[in-house]
Amino acid sequence: MAESLAAIARKLNVAPSTISRALSNPELVAPKTREKILNYVQEIGYQPNLAARSLRRKRTNLVGIVVNDLSDSLIAQSASIMQDLAFERGFFPVLLATRDDPQKEKEALAQLKIINSCGLVIMPTCQSAATLNSLNIPIVELDRCSGCNCYDEFRMDDQAAMQMACSHLVSLGCQHIAVLFGNVDLVTSFRSRFQALQSCAPQAHYSHFFTQAISAHEIAASARTLTHALLRPTADNLAATQNILLPSSSNLDLSSLPPLDGIICTNHSLATGVVQGFFDHKQPLNQNIKLLTFDHPDWLQVLPQKIASLTNPLEQAAQQAMERLLDRIEGRYISNVEARLLRPVLHPAEN
Amino acid sequence: MAESLAAIARKLNVAPSTISRALSNPELVAPKTREKILNYVQEIGYQPNLAARSLRRKRTNLVGIVVNDLSDSLIAQSASIMQDLAFERGFFPVLLATRDDPQKEKEALAQLKIINSCGLVIMPTCQSAATLNSLNIPIVELDRCSGCNCYDEFRMDDQAAMQMACSHLVSLGCQHIAVLFGNVDLVTSFRSRFQALQSCAPQAHYSHFFTQAISAHEIAASARTLTHALLRPTADNLAATQNILLPSSSNLDLSSLPPLDGIICTNHSLATGVVQGFFDHKQPLNQNIKLLTFDHPDWLQVLPQKIASLTNPLEQAAQQAMERLLDRIEGRYISNVEARLLRPVLHPAEN
DNA sequence: TTGTAAGCGTTATCAT
DNA sequence: ATGATAACGCTTACAA
């Protein structure tokens, strides 16, 4: 059983409150006493009882970290960075994953409410705004935005990313580029990437395709089917794309355009499907058709042919997000909310 | 601000203790009062203050979940299962990852001590025994064992797994199988898999190779180098394996044996390296040489040729581990510690 | 069956 | 600069 303040107080012949002060407001206690106390506390490795502290302070030191998919190693790594940061500043991180399921997100937020978490960094799904507001704690949005513009946001600069992607393929000589998106109606990041496409390098033609799917698995499946149609536009293959794309997608009859020589996947789930589609047709990657994917999925390393990728600067965003959150909690940052957009990094296909 | 017990008590004209009882020991309060209380509590959505409860009970409801690598999707999924389970039983899961770094594991355990977690499910690294014992809380080991045999253990049956793997390749006609392991000196699961190899289908010859590496990344790199030597045993390629294998590995001069026609990777990091090695030599997978890997890495789905895999029943193990932990915490299970070994499932290469 | 009261370990207020 | 004291919200003897 850990030593209590009272016990230490008796040992040192001071009042418990003095010790408490020495620990939380050292400047309020005389240097001599302070040193005596801190030395002893150090020596016996005293740990304050956090339950008691939370009870008295009416605030826990628990900060929520809600991400969509921990099995994405970039996200896992970013979460780990945020956890370390929280520790360092005396907070305790509580990590929950939603797998992009709004239901699970609701549960997660409910749980955070139950444990009285004092702050939250979240990668929100499309529909979280209402639930977020009901928490009444400082919140920072990471990588996505929930739509309510009342929280700090840290994420990739979608506009810059889209332009970098297009310029890269154009510089490789591409003239007709298919750009694959997830559901632009429901996912803001896809929407803003698509909007950015309008102002991209005009040296090429762009055809855009939107999946209806939202979950990673279904997005990949849709992209696979779509790839079949792009590579072999047979009647069957074209028909198969009917129910998986949003009607606002480009027409799949591409005969009036130059032949397809580039594909941009605006997230890694799309890329998974595209790569599968190429292999289904025994077509080597990145040869006649140059590929570029947003994100940097783990499986890039085991591909027989390499493809270009554009990495989301999620780790930096995560770090900044957590720092901002803790600053908000501690009242060290009180300015208006801001959206900070970070530039991605382009990795050309190796050889 | 959430309503307090005292406030509710006043509203209902009962004592706070009665409400407390109605919530934690319903059978101790008269059916009529109980109903009145529970209804009201339900209605206003009362949530007990957990800090106060923990303080008084001298026990938090925080259970630690310490895993090595969250970016492994099977592990992420298992962690999620454990979290749900903990929630359902009124506990709160605290998820921490170590990336197989003993230092980070120490930190994680220290943090769990600070927050006073009341139990722990852990995938221990090789050297955790001492730190674990110093926690003085119920512990369950998942997927690996720390060596101290004082905790319940739930993991794959390595012996059965190894035998299934060998039998499968033998049934495909393999006569000479290379079996790749991680560091058998330091990682118990590799050691027990290797021991099981002794009693495997004697219709084939087995050559065994042990990496010195421990971290996932280095294991993959070692396996890649080794694969080069296995596919093209040039002097250079053989020399390159010198410093990455344990000396107790089989001799790489395999000329006295039948030609290599099967490779078993005893975890997915090894498989990553092997697949890279095959591609480096433009050699298709699973054609002349049949491949089988333990685990079911995500990238299997994007391979141009499929390979067989043996999936660790980690999700079931995780579920059982968490159930056991909570039973121990609540004193509902008090028998001696046991090691429960679960059989894996074999997935043949799809066509 | 229910109420009373003490106390968990900390911190904030007030008095010294 | 330090000490005494009350209070945070809950649980649990014990008393009624």
Side-chain angles (χ1 to χ4, degrees):
Chain A
M1 183 64 184
E3 200 106 15
S4 81
L5 266 195
I8 300 180
R10 256 174 279 124
K11 273 236 170 74
L12 296 183
N13 278 316
V14 293
S17 46
T18 306
I19 301 186
S20 174
R21 265 190 296 257
L23 293 171
S24 358
N25 298 77
E27 70 279 8
L28 292 185
V29 5
K32 213 179 129 196
T33 353
R34 187 199 315 161
E35 200 169 342
K36 179 175 70 173
I37 293 177
L38 293 182
N39 280 341
Y40 185 73
V41 153
Q42 177 81 11
E43 182 190 329
I44 68 161
Y46 164 75
Q47 289 294 353
N49 180 318
L50 295 181
R53 170 176 286 177
S54 302
L55 176 59
R56 178 60 231 227
R57 285 193 181 162
K58 301 194 166 202
R59 201 192 79 194
T60 65
N61 66 339
L62 270 26
V63 296
I65 300 176
V66 175
V67 301
N68 60 336
D69 183 9
L70 274 174
S71 63
D72 179 326
S73 67
L74 182 62
I75 296 180
Q77 179 61 24
S78 303
S80 176
I81 289 174
M82 291 192 279
Q83 290 192 311
D84 290 344
L85 218 63
F87 280 141
E88 279 166 25
R89 294 187 44 179
F91 290 83
F92 198 90
V94 169
L95 181 56
L96 298 168
T98 66
R99 304 197 154 238
D100 272 319
D101 175 353
Q103 181 55 33
K104 243 191 162 316
E105 180 181 61
K106 271 217 183 89
E107 286 172 26
L109 297 181
Q111 297 294 348
L112 290 176
K113 182 142 207 175
I114 289 179
I115 63 167
N116 235 310
S117 97
C118 66
L120 168 63
V121 174
I122 185 171
M123 297 173 57
T125 64
C126 1
Q127 317 143 351
S128 0
T131 331
L132 287 183
N133 289 325
S134 72
L135 281 179
N136 287 319
I137 53 174
I139 295 179
V140 174
E141 295 180 359
L142 175 63
D143 194 54
R144 328 253 198 93
C145 55
S146 69
C148 59
N149 285 23
C150 47
Y151 306 117
D152 293 310
E153 305 170 10
F154 295 82
R155 58 172 189 277
M156 181 171 76
D157 184 340
D158 286 312
Q159 180 129 6
M162 199 69 229
Q163 289 176 351
M164 289 167 70
C166 293
S167 305
H168 181 66
L169 287 194
V170 165
S171 77
L172 294 178
C174 295
Q175 311 240 331
H176 178 198
I177 300 171
V179 190
L180 276 50
F181 297 89
N183 188 316
V184 287
D185 289 344
L186 293 177
V187 184
T188 54
S189 56
F190 287 122
R191 185 155 58 234
S192 64
R193 285 168 202 180
F194 174 58
Q195 282 160 357
L197 182 60
Q198 317 301 332
S199 54
C200 278
Q203 297 91 324
H205 296 278
Y206 302 99
S207 305
H208 53 269
F209 301 97
F210 310 135
T211 70
Q212 293 184 7
I214 298 204
S215 79
H217 188 75
E218 287 174 9
I219 288 180
S222 303
R224 186 176 193 166
T225 305
L226 172 60
T227 303
H228 294 164
L230 290 174
L231 296 181
R232 303 264 192 290
T234 63
D236 276 0
N237 285 346
L238 290 173
T241 64
Q242 285 298 324
N243 296 316
I244 58 169
L245 296 182
L246 294 180
S248 45
S249 301
S250 290
N251 192 327
L252 266 163
D253 175 10
L254 305 170
S255 45
S256 59
L257 296 172
L260 192 66
D261 52 14
I263 296 181
I264 293 176
C265 300
T266 56
N267 88 353
H268 69 273
S269 303
L270 291 161
T272 302
V274 169
V275 167
Q276 290 170 330
F278 269 71
F279 288 149
D280 290 339
H281 288 301
K282 312 257 184 259
Q283 184 145 347
L285 307 176
N286 220 43
Q287 212 154 39
N288 302 327
I289 300 181
K290 301 295 180 195
L291 297 179
L292 183 151
T293 181
F294 281 42
D295 309 334
H296 189 85
D298 294 334
W299 47 255
L300 280 188
Q301 62 181 338
V302 297
L303 286 183
Q305 303 94 25
K306 301 308 177 195
I307 68 179
S309 64
L310 199 66
T311 63
N312 186 333
L314 186 62
E315 296 177 358
Q316 295 97 289
Q319 173 164 350
Q320 295 183 19
M322 179 55 81
E323 276 166 357
R324 171 62 52 82
L325 176 69
L326 301 184
D327 286 346
R328 289 263 185 216
I329 294 174
E330 294 178 334
R332 304 214 275 141
Y333 185 95
I334 48 169
S335 313
N336 289 341
V337 299
E338 66 172 343
R340 193 164 306 177
L341 305 182
L342 287 73
R343 283 179 69 83
V345 177
L346 179 79
H347 300 274
E350 307 154 21
N351 75 25
Chain B
M1 183 65 183
E3 200 106 14
S4 80
L5 264 195
I8 299 181
R10 256 174 280 124
K11 274 240 170 70
L12 296 184
N13 279 318
V14 293
S17 50
T18 306
I19 302 185
S20 174
R21 265 189 298 255
L23 292 171
S24 352
N25 297 79
E27 70 279 8
L28 293 185
V29 8
K32 212 178 130 197
T33 354
R34 187 196 319 160
E35 201 168 341
K36 179 175 68 172
I37 293 177
L38 293 182
N39 280 340
Y40 185 73
V41 153
Q42 177 82 10
E43 181 189 330
I44 67 163
Y46 165 75
Q47 289 294 351
N49 179 319
L50 295 181
R53 171 177 286 177
S54 302
L55 177 58
R56 178 61 231 232
R57 284 193 181 160
K58 300 193 168 206
R59 201 193 79 194
T60 66
N61 67 338
L62 270 26
V63 296
I65 300 177
V66 175
V67 302
N68 58 338
D69 183 9
L70 274 175
S71 64
D72 179 326
S73 67
L74 181 63
I75 296 181
Q77 178 61 23
S78 304
S80 176
I81 289 173
M82 290 192 280
Q83 290 192 312
D84 289 344
L85 217 65
F87 280 140
E88 279 167 25
R89 292 187 43 179
F91 290 83
F92 197 89
V94 169
L95 181 57
L96 298 167
T98 66
R99 304 195 155 240
D100 271 321
D101 175 354
Q103 180 55 33
K104 243 191 161 317
E105 180 180 62
K106 271 214 183 93
E107 286 172 27
L109 297 181
Q111 297 294 351
L112 290 176
K113 183 142 206 175
I114 288 178
I115 62 166
N116 235 311
S117 96
C118 67
L120 169 63
V121 174
I122 185 171
M123 298 175 56
T125 64
C126 2
Q127 317 142 354
S128 1
T131 331
L132 287 183
N133 289 326
S134 72
L135 282 179
N136 287 318
I137 53 174
I139 295 178
V140 174
E141 295 181 358
L142 174 63
D143 194 54
R144 329 254 198 93
C145 57
S146 68
C148 60
N149 285 23
C150 46
Y151 307 117
D152 294 309
E153 305 170 11
F154 294 82
R155 59 171 189 277
M156 180 172 75
D157 184 340
D158 287 313
Q159 181 128 6
M162 199 69 229
Q163 288 176 352
M164 288 166 71
C166 292
S167 304
H168 181 67
L169 288 194
V170 165
S171 77
L172 294 178
C174 295
Q175 310 240 331
H176 177 199
I177 299 171
V179 190
L180 276 50
F181 298 88
N183 189 316
V184 287
D185 289 344
L186 293 177
V187 183
T188 55
S189 56
F190 287 122
R191 184 155 58 236
S192 65
R193 286 168 202 181
F194 174 58
Q195 282 161 357
L197 180 61
Q198 318 301 331
S199 54
C200 279
Q203 298 89 326
H205 298 277
Y206 301 100
S207 304
H208 53 269
F209 302 96
F210 311 134
T211 71
Q212 294 182 7
I214 298 204
S215 79
H217 188 76
E218 288 175 7
I219 288 179
S222 302
R224 187 176 192 168
T225 304
L226 172 59
T227 303
H228 294 164
L230 290 173
L231 296 181
R232 304 267 191 287
T234 63
D236 276 0
N237 284 345
L238 291 173
T241 64
Q242 284 299 322
N243 297 315
I244 58 168
L245 297 182
L246 293 180
S248 45
S249 300
S250 290
N251 193 327
L252 266 164
D253 175 11
L254 304 169
S255 46
S256 60
L257 296 172
L260 192 67
D261 52 15
I263 297 181
I264 292 175
C265 301
T266 55
N267 86 355
H268 69 274
S269 303
L270 291 161
T272 301
V274 168
V275 167
Q276 290 171 328
F278 269 71
F279 288 149
D280 290 338
H281 289 301
K282 312 256 184 259
Q283 184 145 348
L285 307 175
N286 220 41
Q287 210 154 42
N288 301 328
I289 300 181
K290 301 295 180 197
L291 297 179
L292 183 152
T293 181
F294 281 41
D295 309 331
H296 189 84
D298 295 333
W299 48 256
L300 280 187
Q301 62 182 338
V302 297
L303 287 183
Q305 304 94 25
K306 302 308 177 195
I307 67 180
S309 64
L310 199 67
T311 63
N312 186 332
L314 185 62
E315 296 177 358
Q316 296 97 292
Q319 172 162 351
Q320 294 182 19
M322 180 55 79
E323 275 166 357
R324 171 60 55 83
L325 177 68
L326 301 184
D327 286 346
R328 289 263 185 215
I329 293 174
E330 294 178 332
R332 304 214 275 142
Y333 185 95
I334 49 167
S335 313
N336 289 342
V337 299
E338 67 172 341
R340 190 162 313 173
L341 305 183
L342 286 73
R343 283 179 68 85
V345 176
L346 179 79
H347 300 273
E350 306 152 22
N351 72 25

